């Protein structure tokens, strides 16, 4: 990384800086003096009928306030998922299990004590009687579809496909630095409830909590404190968070005012938090001899967990609808289905279906090009949607708003000296090295819909900005303060930004799907423009404006080039170089954009090479700590060269597009293409993610064995 990329004319905001200096207020720091602590008793079974829960010993433990389960807390169901794709049957998943448990780690009881240590010790005294039932595990492709989607355009060619591929993507964990948590302060009659949650969607969380408590929404104040990373895993409410609210309600009946806190830990979050990815993809691509793409067929199966979080259907929906990606494809048939399994829930995770689409499509393009003896970069250049065709609507109705895809490919290949890379590769191959080149395109639709803002301009010149969208470390306070200052023509120091508190902030959808700047930022800019308008018409300060801003999806795009070598002795893959040209529209804060791109690349590298949640046939998680679940480390990050083209989106007033997910989309696709390319002298092989040393070694050693026999 060069200094040029890190230089920024914008100073970070106090609020953002505080997080880096250790002065933030994260879940465990929420000031709630004297709060009782909750610890969950979790099911050791992946699927079982509950016979009895023995809690007397735990209840008698020193310092224990209560041991709560279905008997005390009653019957409730988890919120229904987002109706973007209809379910085959309504979810109706029991929030507090009373007769059946459906995944290992599902909470069955909540022990509340005066300290976390006492609650932990007492929780060990709870005994669960249950009868184990048959377990449907992760790769249950034969399980009935719970949710489906399909897109069809024209007739596929009657000939055999030029290339086909099968690809399995492991389940992974978003692994934010900060585990989940919830704090509840219950006061008064009628009830006034304050809930602190590290959530990406405070307004929806407020509604979810109010609904389960049977309270009007206004009785619940939802505060999102500083959040140590989210990545989609914090987009939808967890059962544990709703349990805590119900426990406070129950205890308030006898205790009046109640203060409760729950802080999860890494193993509990790996076991029972929101997981991501986990799909089996197959695809076929028809490519004419002249390189023209003629048809694509794809089938996608997503093994979903025991219940669907609000956004749980989104990855399947996105993967299927985004699949034609940046190419003007001929005819295509895409179908996808998701089925239930006795595992932890699966939710959106940074990319949310976009990585699946890019991985399948880009590896197919490479395979088809090799089969035809064509250069994969030339095939891409030939089939990319042209800038003059923008906005471009795919036949199934997805509209790409803007961008110059051929320019991204061309600039990336120039910057990387692609022809030279091929020459070097040929030389190293001749010397016996296993080295591959991957050049992958990606698109990243950012969210659609609305966000809101309220801006108050005080008589003394100070400005308060209230956004409906929160932050989880992206630096929104800096972005929002600067854009408000620019729109109002005042100094950024005079602007205070408020996010994530339903008592003060207007309603919002949330910080997800790469939408905060494009839509939430545009809402602020719109409010500021209205303030200036009213001043121009002679209204005096103070003035306040509240706005909603609605926008259609803006599509970012980019091209990632990777050179990867594989040690034939060990199968260890090493990314030697990564060159990336992205277009996230107009960049308001280049330094923050850079951070998002590099952070996303690290997570993309983790998914491509290292990370995997593993369940055994009984539905037991085998990767329950960072001793077994391999996150990428600093020394596994390659040098990354980044350049940005900026095609402003015509769809929002800032011209911004999404940027948070790009690294998880384009980088794994380029790595997979490079791995296939590295192995291609020996043939075409189906690979799974992550590209473990064992997997690559087995492919290579097969070749070595047969070479020796010959
Ligand atoms: S996976 Mo993102 O938080 O929509």
């Amino acid at each position: 990384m060069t200094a040029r990329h890190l230089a920024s004319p914008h100073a970070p905001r106090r609020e953002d800086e505080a997080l880096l200096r250790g002065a933030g207020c994260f879940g465990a720091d929420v000031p709630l003096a004297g709060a009782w602590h909750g610890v969950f008793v979790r099911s050791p079974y992946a699927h079982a009928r509950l016979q009895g829960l023995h809690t007397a010993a735990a209840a008698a433990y020193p310092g224990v306030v209560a041991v709560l389960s279905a008997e005390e807390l009653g019957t409730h169901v988890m919120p229904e998922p987002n109706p973007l794709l209809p379910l085959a049957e309504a979810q109706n998943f029991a929030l507090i299990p009373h007769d059946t448990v459906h995944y290992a780690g599902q909470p069955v009881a909540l022990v509340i004590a005066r300290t976390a240590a006492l609650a932990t010790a007492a929780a060990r005294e709870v005994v669960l009687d249950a009868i184990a039932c048959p377990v449907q595990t992760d790769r249950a492709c034969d399980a009935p579809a719970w949710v489906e989607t399909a897109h069809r355009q024209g007739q596929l060619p009657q000939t055999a496909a030029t290339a086909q591929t099968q690809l399995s993507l492991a389940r992974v964990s978003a692994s934010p630095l900060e585990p989940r948590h919830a704090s509840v302060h219950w006061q008064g009659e009628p009830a006034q409830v304050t809930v602190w949650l590290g959530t990406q969607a405070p307004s929806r969380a407020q509604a979810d909590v109010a609904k389960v408590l049977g309270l009007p929404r206004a009785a619940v104040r939802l505060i999102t404190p500083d959040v140590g990373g989210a990545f989609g895993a914090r987009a939808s409410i967890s059962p544990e968070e709703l349990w805590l609210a119900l426990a406070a309600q129950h205890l308030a009946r006898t205790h009046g005012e109640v203060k409760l806190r729950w802080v999860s830990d890494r193993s509990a979050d790996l076991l029972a938090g929101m997981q991501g990815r986990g799909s089996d993809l197959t695809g076929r691509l028809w490519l004419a001899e002249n390189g023209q793409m003629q048809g694509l067929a794809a089938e996608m199966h997503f093994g979903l967990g025991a219940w669907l979080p609000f956004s749980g259907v989104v990855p399947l929906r996105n993967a299927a609808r985004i699949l034609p990606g940046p190419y003007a494809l001929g005819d295509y048939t895409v179908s996808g289905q998701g089925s239930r399994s006795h595992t932890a829930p699966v939710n959106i995770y940074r990319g949310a279906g976009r990585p699946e689409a890019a991985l399948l499509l880009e590896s197919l393009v490479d395979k088809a090009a090799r089969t035809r003896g064509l250069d994969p970069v030339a095939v891409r250049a030939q089939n990319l949607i042209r800038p003059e065709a923008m906005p471009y609507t795919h036949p199934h109705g997805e509209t790409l708003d803007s961008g110059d895809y051929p320019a991204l490919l061309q600039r990336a290949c120039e910057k990387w000296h692609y022809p030279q890379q091929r020459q070097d590769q040929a030389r190293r191959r001749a010397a016996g090295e296993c080295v591959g080149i991957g050049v992958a395109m990606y698109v990243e639709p950012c969210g659609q819909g609305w966000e809101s803002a309220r801006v108050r301009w005080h008589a003394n010149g100070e400005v308060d900005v209230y956004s409906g969208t929160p932050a989880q470390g992206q630096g929104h306070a800096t972005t929002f303060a600067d854009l408000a200052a620019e729109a109002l023509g005042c100094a950024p120091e005079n602007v205070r930004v408020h996010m994530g508190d339903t008592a003060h902030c207007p309603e919002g959808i949330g910080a997800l799907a790469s939408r905060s700047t494009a839509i939430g930022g545009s809402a602020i800019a719109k409010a500021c423009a209205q303030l200036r308008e009213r001043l121009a018409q002679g209204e005096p300060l103070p003035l306040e404006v509240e706005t909603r801003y609605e926008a259609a999806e803006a599509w970012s795009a980019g091209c990632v080039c990777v050179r990867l070598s594989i040690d034939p002795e060990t199968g260890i893959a090493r990314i030697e170089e990564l060159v990336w040209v992205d277009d996230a529209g107009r960049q308001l804060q280049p330094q923050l954009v850079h951070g998002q791109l590099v952070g996303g690349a690290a997570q993309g590298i983790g998914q491509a090479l290292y990370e995997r949640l593993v369940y055994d046939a009984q539905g037991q998680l085998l990767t329950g700590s960072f001793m077994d679940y391999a996150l990428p480390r600093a020394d596994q990050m390659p040098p990354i060269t980044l350049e940005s083209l900026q095609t402003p989106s015509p769809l929002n007033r800032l011209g911004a597009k999404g940027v948070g997910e790009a690294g998880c989309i384009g980088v794994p696709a380029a790595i997979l293409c490079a791995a296939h390319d590295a192995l291609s002298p020996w043939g075409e092989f189906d690979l799974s993610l992550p590209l473990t040393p064992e997997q690559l070694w087995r492919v290579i050693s097969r070749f070595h064995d047969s070479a020796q026999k010959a």
Side-chain angles (χ1 to χ4, degrees):
M1 279 168 261
T2 62
R4 187 165 55 86
H5 292 300
L6 297 174
S8 166
H10 307 269
R13 296 286 298 177
R14 300 190 289 285
E15 301 90 319
D16 290 332
E17 234 177 19
L19 306 188
L20 304 174
R21 285 192 281 102
C25 175
F26 295 91
D29 310 320
V30 167
L32 204 54
W36 294 330
H37 290 257
V39 167
F40 287 96
V41 178
R42 296 179 180 279
S43 168
Y45 302 90
H47 187 203
R49 299 231 161 267
L50 297 179
Q51 301 291 104
L53 197 63
H54 306 288
T55 59
Y61 205 86
V64 169
V65 177
V67 182
L68 304 173
S69 64
E71 204 177 311
E72 295 78 20
L73 300 179
T75 307
H76 307 272
V77 291
M78 286 303 292
E80 281 297 310
N82 192 330
L84 281 168
L85 293 179
L87 302 186
E89 49 174 312
Q91 171 153 272
N92 283 325
F93 188 79
L95 164 58
I96 317 271
H98 43 88
D99 55 5
T100 313
V101 286
H102 294 274
Y103 58 103
Q106 184 176 1
V108 293
L110 174 59
V111 177
I112 292 162
R114 300 201 178 278
T115 69
L118 289 170
T120 303
R124 292 197 194 104
E125 303 291 322
V126 176
V127 176
L128 179 71
D129 267 353
I131 299 172
C133 302
V135 168
Q136 188 96 55
T137 53
D138 204 20
R139 288 283 180 260
C141 295
D142 50 347
W146 194 18
V147 55
E148 288 179 301
T149 184
H151 301 288
R152 218 159 260 116
Q153 158 68 19
Q155 287 286 321
L156 291 174
Q158 295 300 302
T159 53
T162 317
Q164 56 183 7
T165 196
Q166 265 186 33
L167 174 62
S168 287
L169 308 182
R171 281 258 196 116
V172 297
S173 166
S175 307
L177 266 178
E178 185 189 25
R180 292 177 298 162
H181 62 82
S183 298
V184 183
H185 188 188
W186 191 291
Q187 287 169 287
E189 184 57 50
Q192 283 299 320
V193 191
T194 306
V195 179
W196 289 263
L197 281 187
T199 176
Q200 295 168 249
S203 298
R204 184 153 27 78
Q206 177 198 31
D208 289 340
V209 170
K211 187 170 179 203
V212 83
L213 294 175
L215 292 177
R217 200 163 158 173
V220 176
R221 176 180 178 186
L222 201 303
I223 300 176
T224 305
D226 292 327
V227 180
F231 313 119
R234 291 191 139 104
S236 312
I237 204 150
S238 282
E240 288 89 340
E241 294 157 351
L242 293 172
W243 270 79
L244 215 75
L246 285 166
Q249 183 176 45
H250 177 79
L251 294 171
R253 289 186 194 119
T254 43
H255 295 270
E257 184 179 357
V258 172
K259 296 175 188 173
L260 266 189
R261 191 198 303 277
W262 161 69
V263 180
S264 185
D265 60 32
R266 184 62 59 192
S267 287
D269 273 12
L270 283 165
L271 182 66
M274 310 274 175
Q275 304 182 344
R277 311 283 193 265
S279 59
D280 293 303
L281 314 172
T282 62
R284 287 172 291 157
L285 184 69
W286 285 261
L287 192 69
E289 276 175 37
N290 70 359
Q292 195 65 36
M293 290 183 193
Q294 296 170 308
L296 169 76
E299 287 172 33
M300 307 177 154
H301 177 265
F302 282 63
L304 305 172
W307 61 276
L308 278 174
F310 182 79
S311 296
V313 302
V314 169
L316 170 62
R317 174 177 179 268
N318 275 348
R321 78 187 174 100
I322 290 166
L323 192 61
Y327 303 107
L329 262 171
D331 298 330
Y332 55 84
T333 299
V334 180
S335 68
Q337 58 156 262
S339 49
R340 281 197 216 218
S341 58
H342 294 111
T343 64
V346 180
N347 203 11
I348 50 174
Y349 166 44
R350 204 170 191 172
R354 302 165 183 82
E356 289 85 339
L359 281 158
L360 184 62
L361 186 55
E362 292 301 299
S363 53
L364 272 173
V365 172
D366 267 22
K367 277 194 174 190
R370 275 193 299 270
T371 305
R372 287 284 184 216
L374 299 169
D375 180 276
V377 167
V379 169
R380 284 178 173 81
Q382 183 177 346
N383 289 278
L384 285 172
I385 295 161
R386 317 291 312 170
E388 57 273 18
M390 294 287 181
Y392 179 89
T393 302
H394 281 297
H396 65 303
E398 298 294 337
T399 299
L400 311 167
D401 63 302
S402 62
D404 188 339
Y405 302 162
L408 288 165
L409 178 66
Q410 193 190 339
R411 182 69 194 125
C413 288
E414 267 171 28
K415 208 173 168 66
W416 198 41
H417 307 292
Y418 175 70
Q420 184 65 45
Q421 293 282 348
R422 285 289 180 205
Q423 286 171 22
D424 292 349
Q425 179 189 35
R427 199 186 60 242
R428 290 174 64 182
R429 274 182 173 165
E433 282 192 71
C434 182
V435 52
I437 283 175
V439 177
M441 299 294 300
Y442 68 88
V443 292
E444 179 194 7
C446 79
Q448 56 202 338
W450 56 272
E451 285 298 343
S452 55
R454 188 187 314 122
V455 180
R456 192 179 300 148
W457 204 345
H458 300 273
N460 66 2
E462 291 182 358
V463 178
D464 282 300
V465 171
Y466 298 88
S467 170
T469 186
Q472 306 95 37
Q474 301 96 328
H476 289 165
T478 302
T479 307
F480 291 170
D482 278 4
L483 79 86
E486 191 182 312
L488 295 174
C490 70
E493 298 77 50
N494 290 353
V495 182
R496 288 180 294 262
V497 177
H498 310 267
M499 297 173 280
D501 183 345
T502 60
H504 302 298
C505 299
E507 189 178 351
I509 291 181
L512 34 89
S514 302
R515 62 207 293 288
S516 292
T517 299
I519 308 181
S522 289
I524 295 169
K526 181 178 163 188
C528 293
Q530 288 179 6
L531 281 173
R532 290 202 61 139
E533 179 69 16
R534 286 172 59 176
L535 284 176
Q537 287 171 4
E539 286 190 62
L541 291 175
L543 273 179
E544 180 178 296
V545 162
E546 185 170 329
T547 53
R548 254 188 198 213
Y549 188 85
E550 185 155 4
E553 270 178 330
W555 293 63
S556 297
C559 178
V560 181
C561 306
V562 161
R563 190 179 66 248
L564 171 143
S565 59
I566 304 173
D567 180 343
E569 300 294 324
T570 63
I572 292 174
R574 195 168 71 85
I575 303 170
E576 297 181 338
E577 195 180 3
L578 199 161
V579 170
W580 180 2
V581 178
D582 86 291
D583 180 354
R586 185 179 151 228
Q587 295 186 358
L588 276 67
Q589 301 281 341
Q591 191 178 10
L592 292 174
V593 168
H594 184 268
Q596 288 270 7
L597 292 172
V598 172
Q603 288 189 313
I605 287 167
Q607 193 200 345
L609 296 183
Y610 309 113
E611 296 182 46
R612 176 168 58 165
L613 290 166
V614 182
Y615 282 94
D616 71 9
Q618 283 75 46
Q620 295 297 327
L621 183 69
L622 303 179
T623 48
S625 80
F626 282 167
M627 295 295 285
D628 330 280
Y629 183 86
L631 284 180
R633 299 174 188 195
D635 67 346
Q636 289 161 325
M637 283 290 285
I640 296 179
T641 305
L642 265 169
E643 181 174 313
S644 293
L645 306 183
Q646 300 187 40
T647 313
S649 173
L651 297 182
N652 62 71
R653 55 189 304 151
L654 298 173
K657 300 179 180 177
V659 70
E661 299 172 281
C664 277
I665 309 168
V667 170
I671 293 172
L672 179 65
C673 285
H676 279 297
D677 186 57
L679 301 172
S680 63
W682 305 326
E684 298 292 340
F685 307 90
D686 289 326
L687 297 173
S688 307
L689 259 50
L691 297 163
T692 58
E694 179 189 351
Q695 183 189 180
L696 298 173
W697 180 83
R698 282 184 190 281
V699 171
I700 293 169
S701 62
R702 207 184 333 169
F703 165 76
H704 274 299
D705 289 351
S706 56
Q708 275 161 18
K709 275 179 210 130

